[in-house]
Amino acid sequence: MDGESCMKGFIKYIYVIVILGLLVNKSYAVDINELNWEYGPTKSSIGSKAKIVIPEGYVFLGKKDTAKFMELSENIPSGKQYMFAPEDLSWFAVFEFDSVGYVEDDEELDTNSILETLKRGTEQGNTARREKGWGTMSIKGWEFKPRYDKQNNLLEWAIIAINDTDNSEIINYKTRILGRSGVMKVVLVADPLELTSSVNSFKSALVGYDFVDGEKYSEFKKGDRMAEFGLAALVAGGAAALATKKGFWAAIVAGALAAKKIIGIVIFGVFIWLFSFIKKGVLSLFRRK
C-alpha cells in the first residue's frame, strides 16, 4: 500500500473516532445548530463595503454568528468577520474588510523575505495560543507563492504550516481583494488533501462577490486615502512595510503588534484536521432539509 493510501486509510479511521466523540458531546452539535445560518439562493452583505450572492447549496453567517463559529473552532474572532461555505462545510471562507486605504498594485513581490516575516509573526501568534491552552504551529513554506491578478485586483497565495502537536500539514489559501478604501481579506480553510478542488469551488462561488458602488478599486479618485504599504505587506500582515520605513527594531515591535492580525489569518488552519473529520459526519445533520 502506498503512502497516500495509508494516509487516506488513517483519516477514515480518525473520522470514526472523532464522529463518535462528537455524538457523545451533543453540546457542541447544539452550538453549531443554533447559529443563524443564511441558506442560498439569497443575497447578503459583508458589512457596508461588499455584497455577496449565496448560491444554492451554500451558507453564510453574519458577523455575530461568525464570531461564535470562530470560538467553537478555537480561533480568535475579530468581531468583524463573515463566513461563507458550502452546506456540507467541506471548506469554509472567512471575509473581513481592512480599511487601510488604497493599496497600489505596482510592487514586485520578494517571496523569500515575505516568508521569513510570516515565520516571525507566527511565533508571536503562538505565544497567545499557549496562553489559551491551544496548540501551536510553524510555517514550513509556500504551497504556492503569492501572485497578483491585476485584472481582478486579487492577490492570492497558500502557505504550508505544521501542527506542532502531531506534525500534520496545514494549508490555508488566502486572498486579498483590493478596493478603493481598503482590502477584503479572505481566508479559505480546507482539508489539505482536497485543497485544489476546494479552491476551485470557492473561486466559482466567489463570482457572486463584488464591492458596492463607490468602493471598487477602479473608482479611485485623487485625494483618496492611500495605504502606507503595498502588496508584500498584505501577505506578511503589515510588518514588512514598516521595516523599510522605521528600521529593523521598529519592524520587530511592529511584528509583535501585527501578530494579532496574523493570529486571525494563520491559525484558522489549526482547526483543519478536526474540521475535515466531521465535515461529512455530524455537521451534515444540520444541513437544511
Side-chain angles (χ1 to χ4, degrees):
M1 182 179 292
D2 58 26
E4 183 177 351
S5 298
C6 290
M7 176 61 72
K8 289 183 178 178
F10 174 73
I11 289 176
K12 289 179 181 178
Y13 171 76
I14 297 298
Y15 255 96
V16 175
I17 300 301
V18 176
I19 289 173
L20 287 175
L22 287 175
L23 286 172
V24 173
N25 183 11
K26 294 183 180 180
S27 62
Y28 181 85
V30 171
D31 286 337
I32 290 289
N33 194 34
E34 289 179 351
L35 297 179
N36 295 312
W37 299 96
E38 297 179 37
Y39 291 89
T42 187
K43 297 179 181 179
S44 197
S45 299
I46 301 175
S48 61
K49 299 295 183 179
K51 54 189 178 181
I52 186 169
V53 174
I54 306 163
E56 179 75 32
Y58 287 81
V59 293
F60 184 81
L61 288 177
K63 187 165 53 176
K64 182 178 179 180
D65 288 279
T66 297
K68 293 179 182 178
F69 181 87
M70 299 309 294
E71 287 284 356
L72 286 171
S73 60
E74 292 192 354
N75 287 284
I76 301 173
S78 70
K80 300 184 293 183
Q81 298 157 324
Y82 297 77
M83 198 190 89
F84 174 70
E87 282 188 12
D88 64 1
L89 295 182
S90 54
W91 55 262
F92 67 86
V94 177
F95 291 73
E96 180 178 358
F97 185 76
D98 193 352
S99 55
V100 295
Y102 183 85
V103 178
E104 293 186 288
D105 61 356
D106 56 355
E107 178 185 8
E108 294 293 330
L109 297 172
D110 182 345
T111 56
N112 292 329
S113 176
I114 293 171
L115 187 63
E116 289 305 311
T117 303
L118 281 170
K119 288 180 178 179
R120 292 195 298 269
T122 301
E123 284 306 309
Q124 293 287 346
N126 282 338
T127 300
R129 295 189 62 81
R130 292 187 189 100
E131 291 175 357
K132 285 183 169 287
W134 297 350
T136 60
M137 64 184 296
S138 305
I139 300 297
K140 179 179 179 181
W142 302 112
E143 173 66 12
F144 64 80
K145 296 179 179 180
R147 54 196 182 200
Y148 180 66
D149 179 348
K150 199 173 184 68
Q151 181 177 355
N152 295 305
N153 309 118
L154 186 149
L155 176 66
E156 60 181 343
W157 69 96
I159 298 171
I160 304 173
I162 302 297
N163 183 333
D164 294 331
T165 302
D166 59 9
N167 291 320
S168 59
E169 281 196 354
I170 301 162
I171 302 177
N172 278 353
Y173 168 83
K174 303 176 183 65
T175 299
R176 299 293 179 266
I177 308 171
L178 276 56
R180 178 182 175 184
S181 62
V183 177
M184 185 63 72
K185 302 187 297 186
V186 190
V187 179
L188 174 70
V189 179
D191 185 329
L193 298 179
E194 299 177 8
L195 180 66
T196 300
S197 61
S198 297
V199 169
N200 291 337
S201 174
F202 167 70
K203 285 186 173 182
S204 296
L206 197 63
V207 172
Y209 167 90
D210 199 2
F211 283 106
V212 299
D213 291 341
E215 289 291 337
K216 299 175 183 178
Y217 194 77
S218 60
E219 295 174 309
F220 171 81
K221 294 180 181 179
K222 186 177 181 180
D224 284 349
R225 178 189 173 194
M226 302 294 295
E228 296 181 0
F229 48 80
L231 298 177
L234 292 180
V235 183
L242 296 176
T244 58
K245 291 189 176 184
K246 301 183 180 179
F248 176 77
W249 291 110
I252 296 300
V253 175
L257 296 175
K260 292 183 179 179
K261 293 183 180 179
I262 293 173
I263 291 169
I265 295 171
V266 177
I267 64 172
F268 289 127
V270 176
F271 182 58
I272 287 176
W273 288 104
L274 174 60
F275 178 82
S276 67
F277 300 152
I278 64 177
K279 68 185 179 185
K280 295 177 182 176
V282 176
L283 290 182
S284 64
L285 299 176
F286 310 134
R287 294 177 60 186
R288 183 182 59 176
K289 296 182 180 179

